[in-house]
Structure formats: structure tokens, C-alpha cells
């Protein structure tokens, strides 16, 4: 059976196509040569409902399907491949935070993602093992009513620009594989966090780079899902 979009999906696609054609395509080459993405453009996409359309209405989303979000990504990418990362991360990270972070964190940050006022990165990849979540080195050590993080994440999209990140760290046995991995929601604009920017070919505005955590304290309530079980509860279940 051939896929046929609904009338609502057609409307979303048309809105995305019009924005991409009128606002993104004309300045694509100029933006592609820079190392940051225009926040004003991100907010304009948010105002049109083009970020995180599939996120829960309770947190500012529209409660649409993943298919609808995918159609929007496709239209944005036609005009500006780099800009489509905003939609990709918006749905991925917004959904992750909405489902697994505390209600307070989700209520504060997911609406910002939808409106285009915040970008949340994914802190998973490491220098030693790439994106193999079962072999993470970045360590989280219990400290009072919270944790202290030390280590590096690399090749993170929007590393130098993201406002926050979901960071996966080892809280259990270093040789425990997928067991002993936990996830933390971290505001990246704090002392002890430094960031670098890679000079990527073709995706400079996405701003991949490394993020270094130097004894960063993370409150206990910022842990997402169950301690030592992030691999199975968050990573494996990501759509």
C-alpha cells in the first residue's frame, strides 16, 4: 500500500516547504560556511510549529506522529541539510527528556525546544569507543546528594552551541558493559565544562565537537530513568 499523508500532514509539509524555500534556501551557502546556526531562524521554525511536532502536548508539543515530524525534517533538509538537525534533535532529545527526565526538568526544557529557544544535545559518543553505549568511560561518582562527572564526550552535534545535554556516564562497574550506565540532564552553561568545535566538511553550522566535564556536580534529581539502567530504558527504546 502506498503511503498517503493526511490533510494535517500535508499542511505541515506545505508550511515547512514554504519556510524552507523562502527563509532557508536563499542563505544556505553563506550559513554553511560558518560555525554557528542562526538562533533567530530556529525560533522562527519553532513559532511555526516546525520543531518537535511529535512531542507531548503537556510539554508544549503538538502531539503529532513521528511520521509528521519526519515529513517536516524532509522538507527542511531539501533547502538546508544543517537546519534539519534542529528538527532531528528536537524530536529525539525532546522526546527523551519528556519521557525520562523529572517533570520539573521536562516542563522547563521541552517547551523551550519546541519554541526554538533551546537546543539539547546528545552526550553519548566517546573517543575510545565511539557511540558504543556499553563501553563508556566518562565516569559519574556519587557525591552527597548528587554526582560528579569527569571525562569527555566527542562528536556531539551542536557541542559548542547546545544549551543542555543528556549525558550518558558510567555509574557502575567499569567492566559491566551495558549495565552500570546512567543518564543525566546537564545544563552546559556552567563552570567546569569546556567545549571544542570540529571543522567538519559540509556540516560546520551543526557544530560537532567535544565536551569536557571537569568535576561537574549534577544533582540527584537530574538523573534520568533508573540508575545503572539507561542503556536498556533510554538508548534501546529510542525510536
Amino acid at each position: 500500500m502506498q503511503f498517503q499523508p493526511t490533510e494535517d500532514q500535508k499542511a505541515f509539509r506545505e508550511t515547512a516547504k514554504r519556510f524552507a524555500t523562502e527563509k532557508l534556501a536563499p542563505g544556505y551557502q553563506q550559513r554553511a560556511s560558518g560555525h554557528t546556526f542562526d538562533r533567530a531562524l530556529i525560533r522562527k521554525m519553532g513559532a511555526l510549529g516546525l520543531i518537535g511536532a511529535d512531542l507531548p502536548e503537556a510539554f508544549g508539543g503538538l502531539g503529532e506522529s513521528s511520521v509528521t515530524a519526519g515529513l517536516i525534517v524532509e522538507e527542511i533538509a531539501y533547502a538546508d541539510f544543517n537546519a534539519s538537525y534542529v528538527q532531528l534533535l528536537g524530536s529525539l532529545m525532546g522526546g527523551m527528556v519528556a519521557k525520562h527526565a523529572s517533570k520539573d526538568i521536562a516542563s522547563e526544557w521541552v517547551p523551550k525546544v519546541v519554541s526554538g529557544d533551546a537546543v539539547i544535545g546528545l552526550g553519548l559518543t566517546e573517543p575510545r569507543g565511539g557511540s558504543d553505549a556499553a563501553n563508556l568511560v566518562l565516569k559519574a561518582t556519587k557525591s552527597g546528594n548528587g554526582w560528579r562527572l569527569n571525562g569527555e564526550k566527542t562528536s556531539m552535534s551542536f557541542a559548542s552551541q547546545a544549551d543542555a545535554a543528556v549525558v550518558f556516564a558510567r555509574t557502575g562497574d567499569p567492566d559491566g558493559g551495558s549495565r552500570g550506565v546512567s543518564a543525566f540532564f546537564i545544563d552546559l552553561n556552567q563552570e567546569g565544562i569546556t567545549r571544542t568545535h570540529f571543522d567538519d566538511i559540509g556540516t560546520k553550522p551543526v557544530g560537532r565537537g567535544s565536551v569536557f566535564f571537569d568535576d561537574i556536580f549534577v544533582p540527584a534529581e537530574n538523573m534520568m530513568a533508573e540508575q545503572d539502567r539507561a542503556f536498556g530504558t533510554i538508548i534501546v527504546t529510542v525510536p
Side-chain angles (χ1 to χ4, degrees):
M1 180 182 295
Q2 186 176 4
F3 168 71
Q4 293 295 330
T6 66
E7 292 304 313
D8 284 346
Q9 288 171 337
K10 289 178 181 178
F12 274 108
R13 188 164 64 181
E14 181 57 34
T15 299
K17 182 178 181 178
R18 185 167 58 252
F19 181 85
T21 301
E22 296 176 0
K23 302 297 184 182
L24 295 177
Y28 168 68
Q29 289 187 323
Q30 181 179 358
R31 289 193 304 276
S33 64
H35 288 280
T36 58
F37 200 82
D38 188 341
R39 287 290 184 131
L41 278 176
I42 296 178
R43 287 191 289 271
K44 287 179 181 177
M45 290 192 290
L48 291 171
L50 300 179
I51 303 175
D54 54 339
L55 297 179
E57 294 180 86
F59 299 119
L62 298 176
E64 295 289 332
S65 68
S66 295
V67 173
T68 301
L71 292 172
I72 293 172
V73 172
E74 185 177 51
E75 293 299 335
I76 296 297
Y78 278 136
D80 188 332
F81 178 75
N82 295 307
S84 70
Y85 270 76
V86 175
Q87 276 74 29
L88 286 170
L89 279 179
S91 291
L92 174 64
M93 303 312 300
M96 196 179 290
V97 172
K99 185 174 182 179
H100 298 289
S102 70
K103 186 175 181 180
D104 286 344
I105 290 175
S107 297
E108 177 183 358
W109 284 91
V110 178
K112 291 181 181 179
V113 170
V114 174
S115 67
D117 289 312
V119 173
I120 299 176
L122 174 61
L124 178 60
T125 304
E126 294 187 356
R128 186 190 73 167
S131 297
D132 182 358
N135 286 290
L136 300 183
V137 174
L138 187 142
K139 187 174 180 60
T141 305
K142 199 74 176 71
S143 176
N145 186 32
W147 300 79
R148 291 198 174 275
L149 269 62
N150 287 278
E152 175 187 358
K153 293 296 180 180
T154 194
S155 195
M156 186 175 103
S157 297
F158 287 98
S160 62
Q161 303 174 73
D163 303 284
V166 176
V167 177
F168 292 85
R170 185 158 295 284
T171 49
D173 184 354
D175 298 318
S178 62
R179 291 181 176 274
V181 173
S182 299
F184 299 88
F185 184 88
I186 299 179
D187 186 331
L188 294 179
N189 297 303
Q190 56 182 299
E191 289 188 17
I193 296 178
T194 55
R195 318 192 222 179
T196 65
H197 186 294
F198 300 159
D199 191 12
D200 279 356
I201 297 175
T203 57
K204 290 182 180 180
V206 174
R208 287 189 187 85
S210 289
V211 182
F212 300 88
F213 300 89
D214 183 11
D215 203 33
I216 297 299
F217 179 76
V218 184
E221 57 267 26
N222 283 39
M223 178 178 284
M224 295 170 55
E226 185 181 356
Q227 180 181 332
D228 297 338
R229 296 293 184 270
F231 184 89
T233 57
I234 299 180
I235 298 173
V236 174
T237 58
V238 169

